[in-house]
Amino acid sequence: MNPLSQLPSVEKLTVKLEGTTILPRPLVAGLIKREVAVWRERLAAGEEHPREDIESDVHAALLSFAASRLQPVINATGVIIHTNLGRSPQGIRSADALRKIATGYSNLEFDLPSGNRGRRAGYLESALAILLEADAATAVNNCAAALVLTLRHLISDDRNEVIVSRGELVEIGGGFRIPDVLETSGAKLVEVGATNKTHLDDYAKAITDKTALILKVHRSNFYIEGFTDEPAVPDLATLAHQHNLPLVEDLGSGAVMNTDELAPLDHEPRPQEALQNGIDLVIFSGDKLLGGPQAGIIAGRADLVAGIKKEPFFRAVRCDKLILTVLQECIDDYLHCKGSNPPDLPTLTFLSTPIADLRTRAEAILAALPENIVPVVDIVDATSRTGGGTMPKSEIPSLAIRLTPQGCSVDDLAARLRTGTPALVGYTEDNALHLNLRTVFPHQDTALTSAVLKAIEQ
Ligand SMILES: *Cc1c(COP(=O)(O)O)cnc(C)c1O
């Protein structure tokens, strides 16, 4: 018998559509066709499966596709800047501003007083420069783009060597490696020093008439302990400037606030400090410790920033108006509360929430659950991390709701919560699911409680 005849045509298959109403019909049809084609091949290869199995498999594929649609997630991992969960959430003020700009026209490149063409991001660039105590600043798509753009601007055919310490040739995550970025930019990497020690003299000896710049890269996601040494930034700056070379630093996370004042954290080098120490251009991400949207910020010497903005490649990596709106709100937030409290940005709020607040909320969540399930739910001490490849050493004390599953596996319980609405993501430790409250917005506590109840009762 021809195995293909075992497979009903698309029309004859009875695939449940439960849980997939969010998907547009053509997507459902297209996906079913694709799945059926795969099944046809498997049956043609001699596999045997009952029709019901095929139908439920196709339904599972539809569900998993529906779950891949970009949607809100309650982050109960305790990792504040979670790259897989979208890094920094934005505040309500940004969302309001975004709605206004997104749903109408704006003065994106229009000067309202004169009625002439205006400077795109002019306001933001001035605000950034003031906040960062820099001569000039600008923003592009992300930090990786900012680095490539800066390197492309600073190198030329006969001066393309970039000096980097061996201790700073890092991989940031997602395969983003400094040596590769340099190569992409057309630069030639000149490594100096050893992994743990690089001396000023190592840099000095590497300078030739082909040197374009000296690059420092912040070791965001790891640390070196023991016998380590590197020159002080002011000394390195003096060396670079004696040879008329710019000194550029990729700071990565770019905390504008003092992180050690926000939480029991290490002091993360601030862009302001880098510039004060003699760095000519500092580069960092918008959506890490700054707490803004995805962006790459470049700040420092006015002539260099102006030159970078004239690069044809700048156009390819510039920010769109929606990002500019959110970034403008974020930077204004900082400027409004300069010197006093941290701005009202979720990332900074999560970093600095007192443990007592988390305890009050955890107890309220527990109290809202029926008593008979309380033995499998309790509150435990936990730790939070900043994440996003920032401050790998720092752990922030936190609290978690611990769910010890009864009658199902912890993996099943976790999967139920992940595929619920809203999706809830925690982590498994000691065979129990932990919901770390530091990264959960207080307004999400009710949804979290309902999700837990539903998952446990299932
Ligand atoms: C995170 C990071 C980057 C990449 O930033 P994106 O904004 O994700 O492009 C680059 N350099 C360092 C040191 C980083 O920590």
Side-chain angles (χ1 to χ4, degrees), residues 75 77 79-88 172-174 287-288 386-390:
N75 173 10
T77 64
V79 179
I80 297 172
I81 305 165
H82 198 304
T83 298
N84 300 153
L85 300 183
R87 289 196 184 158
S88 287
I172 307 305
D287 54 356
K288 291 183 180 169
T386 49
T390 68

Side-chain angles (χ1 to χ4, degrees), residues 286-326:
D287 54 356
K288 291 183 180 169
L289 286 168
L290 182 72
Q294 178 188 304
I297 291 156
I298 307 173
R301 252 170 61 187
D303 59 325
L304 297 180
V305 172
I308 284 170
K309 290 196 62 189
K310 287 203 191 86
E311 284 288 322
F313 189 62
F314 180 82
R315 175 66 199 254
V317 294
R318 72 182 188 183
C319 297
D320 89 311
K321 64 181 177 185
L322 304 184
I323 292 292
L324 290 174
T325 304
V326 179

Side-chain angles (χ1 to χ4, degrees), residues 356 358-369 379 399 401 437:
L358 299 182
R359 189 168 300 282
T360 310
R361 287 171 48 202
E363 282 164 2
I365 290 169
L366 226 60
L369 293 168
I379 303 169
L399 286 182
I401 307 279
L437 288 186

